[in-house]
């Protein structure tokens, strides 16, 4: 399986829906090596050894050409800053009291310079740091930033609310923390094949949380938490209000499905929570305007439509170049083939741009579901082959995202991320 590069982690998280109701550990050891990370870093990755840090990078990355020798097992931190481009910073703890390690440090510094990298040893500073660290990066500009931070005794530990994020991640020795405000610099335009517009992902990430934390649990399994204040203005505050409910989507998912976003819901609770979030983000007026416009053009109030259907589950399904939205009402709809959709535009207006299709002009009904999309996509969905045996990992869910590579879901206050066919890297 392709490794997920650190710059891709945020994209995964901003599409998903997260919570941070974890019990906070009040006491934990702050890794001193974080003092090697500039205060404006966008991604910070903590591992127990250098070889683990390097394994996170794409095989073509220049850092993968470094032979760290005895330092392969040394405590390391990998971070990313933005200075006209996203630049990596590798900090490696070096115990220079050991002769073999000292020689390895010299060889590593020489090797880095031969590769055109910038490398420097930072010695302990009385009253600030106790360990020697080798720092390697790709540009002189970034190395100058690191040096200025060291001279001023500044680091990521001085970034607003980073300590709170660190507390959420501290139960694991291997973790990643992402600054959500840096989404525009982290999310590539072609992420997930352009399945979602970059501007939507960036906007969601910025309102999602302040910091997103990923903690390694076991092989291929991770826990996700999001750090934010108590203002109630974050997207995860909206999702935190949801209760886990039974999903019936597995019964209709096509074979060869590429992507699923599924939310079982109580429509009344969802609407109340979603409007509260929009109000906190000063987006309620725009939302009300869209609802009002659709009411006039369709001759039906979208909110009344939702109330009549009493939506129990909503899903976006993508497979083999096709896309549909599947909506399950409280009462089964009579089966019918593809027909014009009189309520085009209602779904994204009510539930957000994640459920927006390029064409939602058609609707059909099967097995109690409304299937919405283009005529070609709806027809393809109705005739698709389905797995003989498919189910979610648990019976009740708040939400789930499923792809051939990973699965992200929540059943309580935790978010679980599972890599499929994983070798444990992320």
């Amino acid at each position: 399986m392709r490794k997920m590069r650190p710059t891709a982690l945020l994209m995964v998280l901003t599409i998903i829906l997260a919570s941070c109701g974890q019990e906070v550990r009040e006491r934990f050891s702050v890794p001193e090596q974080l003092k090697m990370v500039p205060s404006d870093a966008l991604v910070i990755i903590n591992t127990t050894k250098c070889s683990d840090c390097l394994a996170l990078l794409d095989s073509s990355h220049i850092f993968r050409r470094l032979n760290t020798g005895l330092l392969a097992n040394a405590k390391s931190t990998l971070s990313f800053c933005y200075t006209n481009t996203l630049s990596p910073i590798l900090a490696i703890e070096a115990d220079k009291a050991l002769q073999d390690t000292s020689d390895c440090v010299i060889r590593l510094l020489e090797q880095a310079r031969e590769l055109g990298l910038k490398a420097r040893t930072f010695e302990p500073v009385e009253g600030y740091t106790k360990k020697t660290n080798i720092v390697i990066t790709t540009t002189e500009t970034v190395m100058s930033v690191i040096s200025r931070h060291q001279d001023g005794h500044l680091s990521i530990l001085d970034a607003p609310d980073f300590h709170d994020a660190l507390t959420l991640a501290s139960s694991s020795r291997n973790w990643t923390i992402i600054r959500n405000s840096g989404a525009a610099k982290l999310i590539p335009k072609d992420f997930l094949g352009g399945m979602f517009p970059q501007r939507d992902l960036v906007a969601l990430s910025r309102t999602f949380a302040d910091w997103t934390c990923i903690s390694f649990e076991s092989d291929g399994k991770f826990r996700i938490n999001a750090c934010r204040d108590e203002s109630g203005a974050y997207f995860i505050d909206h999702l935190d209000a949801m209760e886990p409910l039974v999903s019936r989507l597995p019964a209709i998912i096509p074979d060869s499905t590429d992507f699923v976003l599924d939310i079982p819901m109580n429509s009344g609770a969802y609407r109340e929570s979603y409007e509260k979030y929009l109000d906190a983000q000063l987006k309620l007026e725009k939302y009300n305007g869209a609802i009002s416009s659709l009411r006039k053009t369709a001759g039906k109030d979208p909110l009344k439509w939702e109330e009549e259907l009493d939506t129990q589950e909503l899903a976006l399904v993508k497979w083999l170049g096709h896309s549909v939205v599947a909506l399950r009402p409280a009462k089964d709809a009579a089966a019918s083939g593809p027909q014009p959709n009189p309520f085009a535009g209602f779904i994204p207006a009510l539930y957000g741009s994640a459920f927006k299709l390029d064409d939602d002009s058609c609707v059909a009904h099967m097995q109690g579901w409304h299937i919405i999309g283009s005529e070609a996509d709806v027809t393809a969905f109705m005739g698709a082959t389905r797995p003989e045996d498919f189910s979610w990992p648990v019976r009740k869910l708040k939400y789930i995202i499923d792809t051939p590579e990973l699965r992200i879901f929540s059943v309580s206050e935790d978010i679980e991320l599972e890599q499929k066919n994983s070798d444990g890297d992320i």
Side-chain angles (χ1 to χ4, degrees):
M1 174 184 154
R2 176 180 89 248
K3 287 185 175 67
M4 295 178 63
R5 287 169 284 193
T7 52
L9 291 174
L10 181 61
M11 288 72 80
V12 175
L13 299 179
T14 50
I15 297 173
I16 69 167
L17 321 167
S19 73
C20 71
Q22 283 287 107
E23 178 182 353
V24 175
R25 289 173 46 180
E26 294 182 356
R27 295 183 180 182
F28 62 95
S29 177
V30 176
E32 182 187 275
Q33 201 167 60
L34 291 176
K35 293 180 179 179
M36 298 292 114
V37 179
S39 60
D40 59 352
L42 303 182
V43 180
I44 307 95
I45 303 169
N46 183 82
T47 66
T48 55
K49 54 185 180 181
C50 182
S51 59
D52 290 341
C53 267
L54 294 177
L56 298 173
L57 297 167
D58 188 272
S59 59
S60 63
H61 197 284
I62 193 169
F63 278 12
R64 293 292 293 269
R65 296 169 64 184
L66 293 168
N67 181 2
T68 54
L70 293 175
L71 294 172
N73 293 321
K75 178 74 180 69
S76 297
T77 301
L78 179 66
S79 57
F80 289 80
C81 289
Y82 190 87
T83 53
N84 296 321
T85 186
L86 199 61
S87 301
I89 302 169
L90 178 64
I92 310 170
E93 187 178 297
D95 187 350
K96 298 182 72 174
L98 301 175
Q99 182 61 38
D100 289 343
T101 303
S102 181
D103 292 342
C104 185
V105 168
I106 294 172
R107 290 195 298 271
L108 180 59
L109 291 172
E110 292 175 347
Q111 183 186 170
R113 287 162 186 153
E114 289 173 358
L115 290 170
L117 300 171
K118 307 304 173 185
R120 177 180 166 183
T121 300
F122 288 88
E123 303 291 348
V125 175
E126 185 176 356
Y128 188 58
T129 55
K130 299 178 181 178
K131 301 287 187 178
T132 297
N133 281 276
I134 305 168
V135 175
I136 303 173
T137 189
T138 52
T139 70
E140 188 61 50
T141 299
V142 175
M143 186 60 76
S144 296
V145 170
I146 298 167
S147 298
R148 288 197 300 271
H149 274 71
Q150 290 300 299
D151 291 342
H153 293 188
L154 295 172
S155 72
I156 191 65
L157 296 173
D158 298 295
D161 301 319
F162 181 78
H163 270 277
D164 293 336
L166 186 59
T167 301
L168 289 173
S170 64
S171 61
S172 172
R173 292 189 297 172
N174 296 321
W175 48 257
T176 297
I177 297 177
I178 300 166
R179 190 194 299 257
N180 287 59
S181 61
K185 299 177 176 66
L186 290 169
I187 301 176
K189 292 181 179 179
D190 61 349
F191 178 67
L192 286 180
M195 188 179 297
F196 297 96
Q198 184 195 36
R199 64 180 181 276
D200 290 348
L201 296 180
V202 170
L204 177 58
S205 176
R206 286 174 172 168
T207 64
F208 170 75
D210 294 320
W211 301 89
T212 301
C213 314
I214 309 172
S215 302
F216 176 78
E217 294 286 294
S218 60
D219 186 30
K221 297 181 184 295
F222 303 81
R223 188 184 72 250
I224 301 169
N225 287 303
C227 179
R228 84 284 200 187
D229 61 33
E230 298 180 356
S231 66
Y234 296 85
F235 189 65
I236 55 172
D237 293 317
H238 156 52
L239 295 162
D240 243 359
M242 300 298 99
E243 62 176 312
L245 296 168
V246 174
S247 167
R248 298 182 184 174
L249 187 68
I252 63 169
I253 290 178
D255 239 339
S256 304
T257 293
D258 302 311
F259 180 89
V260 174
L261 167 59
D262 182 36
I263 308 177
M265 67 174 70
N266 174 303
S267 61
Y270 188 96
R271 185 60 35 212
E272 180 181 355
S273 177
Y274 187 54
E275 291 182 351
K276 182 178 180 181
Y277 158 72
L278 292 173
D279 190 26
Q281 288 294 323
L282 304 179
K283 296 178 180 179
L284 189 59
E285 184 176 352
K286 182 178 180 180
Y287 158 85
N288 286 331
I291 296 294
S292 178
S293 177
L294 286 168
R295 183 187 305 119
K296 294 175 182 177
T297 57
K300 180 75 173 183
D301 186 340
L303 296 173
K304 184 66 175 177
W305 178 78
E306 178 189 50
E307 182 181 341
E308 291 171 353
L309 290 177
D310 190 10
T311 305
Q312 301 294 293
E313 189 168 5
L314 186 70
L316 173 67
V317 183
K318 294 178 177 283
W319 81 106
L320 300 178
H322 299 288
S323 301
V324 299
V325 166
L327 182 152
R328 178 168 60 86
K331 294 182 179 180
D332 288 351
S336 69
Q339 54 193 278
N341 178 16
F343 307 121
F346 277 29
I347 294 295
L350 288 169
Y351 303 105
S353 61
F355 295 97
K356 184 176 182 179
L357 300 171
D358 291 337
D359 184 347
D360 64 349
S361 62
C362 184
V363 62
H365 305 92
M366 62 175 289
Q367 298 182 38
W369 290 80
H370 296 247
I371 309 301
I372 300 166
S374 69
E375 183 176 1
D377 288 351
V378 170
T379 300
F381 188 89
M382 301 284 282
T385 302
R386 290 171 170 80
E388 292 183 5
D389 183 20
F390 181 82
S391 62
W392 296 133
V394 293
R395 183 170 180 268
K396 290 187 176 183
L397 296 157
K398 283 189 173 184
Y399 45 83
I400 187 166
I401 286 178
D402 192 76
T403 78
E405 293 184 342
L406 61 83
R407 174 178 287 158
I408 304 167
F409 61 95
S410 176
V411 298
S412 57
E413 295 176 339
D414 289 340
I415 303 261
E416 298 183 52
L417 186 156
E418 297 180 354
Q419 284 187 284
K420 302 175 182 178
N421 304 316
S422 168
D423 58 9
D425 296 324
I426 189 166

